[in-house]
Amino acid sequence: METPSTAKSTSDLRGDYSQAADDWTVPQGWEDYSEAEHDRWRRLYARQSAIVREHAAPEFLAGLDRLDCAGGIPRFEDANAVIEAATGWTLVGVPGFIPDANFFDHLAHRRFPVTVWIREEKELDYLVEPDLFHDFFGHVPMLLDPVFADFLAAYGQAGEKAMAMDALDMLARIYWYTVEFGLMQTDAGLKAFGAGIVSSSGETVYSVQDENVLRLHFDPVRVMRTAYAIDDFQKVYFVLDSTQQLIDELVGLDFGPIYETYRDAAPFPPEQVQDGDRVHSPHRHSIAHKEQAI
Ligand code: HBI
Ligand code: FE
């Protein structure tokens, strides 16, 4: 089988790709989880659900409650009954990262790839690859929000053109700064909805509360031009007014001319304020960086 293009080689990836189907899916194998793994899930769930209660967007919390999965590693089959009825999405098991084209194809068809293995005991706080806890706890609750669900399918449909135009980096930054690390301004204050945030105990509090973090109002082109870090807390977050903004500003956007204009330009460093940025909240270090850069 070919190597997922997202990794240097399959040996960098932990999952078992040998049994994967042509679309890279694998059965969940729920019966094979050990009691220690269910217990690890329960502890991760208990810790993280308490933290997000205060800091996650209402859409995320409503979805999490409906999934009702505090008691052990959920069966995708059971979750699918809930999700499919709500928004037409289903979960499919995958061994881990899969090639971009297959990932986009799943999303375009309202199938969300969820990694079937759970992190090890020593990785409770941090791991490099997405695991079952990140994929399920972080991503699946938002699939129950009809507006977000429609956006994510449209995002998947945008993949083909981005790949054909050699502008995947630009499209991937949209995913990164919304689906993974998005914040939202709500009546109850600044909240997180991105899966990379809400599945991380440290970053949940940091992203909404740290006063030295740069937060910008969401702007599609600004996002597509902004680099990101994969191995540290983010240096910039983008803030939505609502999930509807994803539909209003991204679905129907003509990406072609934007890709052509910016795909060969160096992206903005994440911590740097640009002319025309609409800054959302305090960012002392960010301003300092910009002054140094001038
Ligand atoms: N595969 N399982 C999995 N999860 C991802 O988040 C993922 C992927 N393959 C490709 C990919 N993400 C990204 O490169 C795209 O968002 C561009
Ligand atoms: Fe993710």
Side-chain angles (χ1 to χ4, degrees), residues 104 151 155 162 166-182 218-230 234 236-238 246 250 255 258-259 262-270:
F104 283 113
F151 160 70
Y155 176 86
D166 206 16
L168 193 60
D169 289 354
M170 290 182 68
L171 185 63
R173 290 180 195 131
I174 293 280
Y175 190 89
W176 190 265
Y177 281 118
T178 61
V179 178
E180 294 290 355
F181 291 97
F218 180 78
D219 175 86
V221 175
R222 177 64 162 89
V223 168
M224 282 188 263
R225 299 184 63 187
T226 306
Y228 57 80
I230 58 165
Q234 299 305 303
V236 59
Y237 298 90
F238 289 88
L246 295 169
L250 287 167
F255 285 83
I258 304 172
Y259 293 156
Y262 299 114
R263 73 185 158 196
D264 299 324
F268 297 131

Side-chain angles (χ1 to χ4, degrees), residues 122-277:
K122 60 179 183 289
E123 303 170 308
L124 291 189
D125 292 331
Y126 179 76
L127 79 173
V128 182
E129 289 176 66
D131 75 329
L132 171 67
F133 186 75
H134 166 82
D135 283 343
F136 196 105
F137 185 98
H139 285 284
V140 180
M142 289 302 289
L143 296 178
L144 288 160
D145 179 65
V147 176
F148 183 88
D150 285 354
F151 160 70
L152 195 57
Y155 176 86
Q157 288 155 21
E160 219 171 320
K161 182 173 185 171
M163 287 185 287
M165 289 188 69
D166 206 16
L168 193 60
D169 289 354
M170 290 182 68
L171 185 63
R173 290 180 195 131
I174 293 280
Y175 190 89
W176 190 265
Y177 281 118
T178 61
V179 178
E180 294 290 355
F181 291 97
L183 297 179
M184 202 187 306
Q185 186 62 47
T186 75
D187 294 342
L190 184 63
K191 303 289 179 182
F193 71 93
I197 300 178
V198 297
S199 63
S200 155
S201 56
E203 194 151 2
T204 297
V205 179
Y206 171 85
S207 67
V208 298
Q209 288 196 337
D210 195 286
E211 59 180 19
N212 293 314
V213 169
L214 177 60
R215 299 184 191 84
L216 302 175
H217 288 281
F218 180 78
D219 175 86
V221 175
R222 177 64 162 89
V223 168
M224 282 188 263
R225 299 184 63 187
T226 306
Y228 57 80
I230 58 165
D231 55 359
D232 198 0
F233 289 175
Q234 299 305 303
K235 295 193 167 73
V236 59
Y237 298 90
F238 289 88
V239 183
L240 296 178
D241 304 325
S242 68
T243 51
Q244 185 61 39
Q245 196 177 359
L246 295 169
I247 300 283
D248 294 346
E249 296 191 17
L250 287 167
V251 180
L253 181 67
D254 188 2
F255 285 83
I258 304 172
Y259 293 156
E260 265 168 20
T261 308
Y262 299 114
R263 73 185 158 196
D264 299 324
F268 297 131
E271 67 278 11
Q272 199 179 81
V273 180
Q274 305 299 323
D275 290 342
D277 277 350

Side-chain angles (χ1 to χ4, degrees), residues 6 94 96-100 103-104 113 115 130 135 155 168 172 175 180:
T6 43
V94 287
F97 272 110
I98 61 173
D100 295 330
F103 184 70
F104 283 113
T115 303
D135 283 343
Y155 176 86
L168 193 60
Y175 190 89
E180 294 290 355

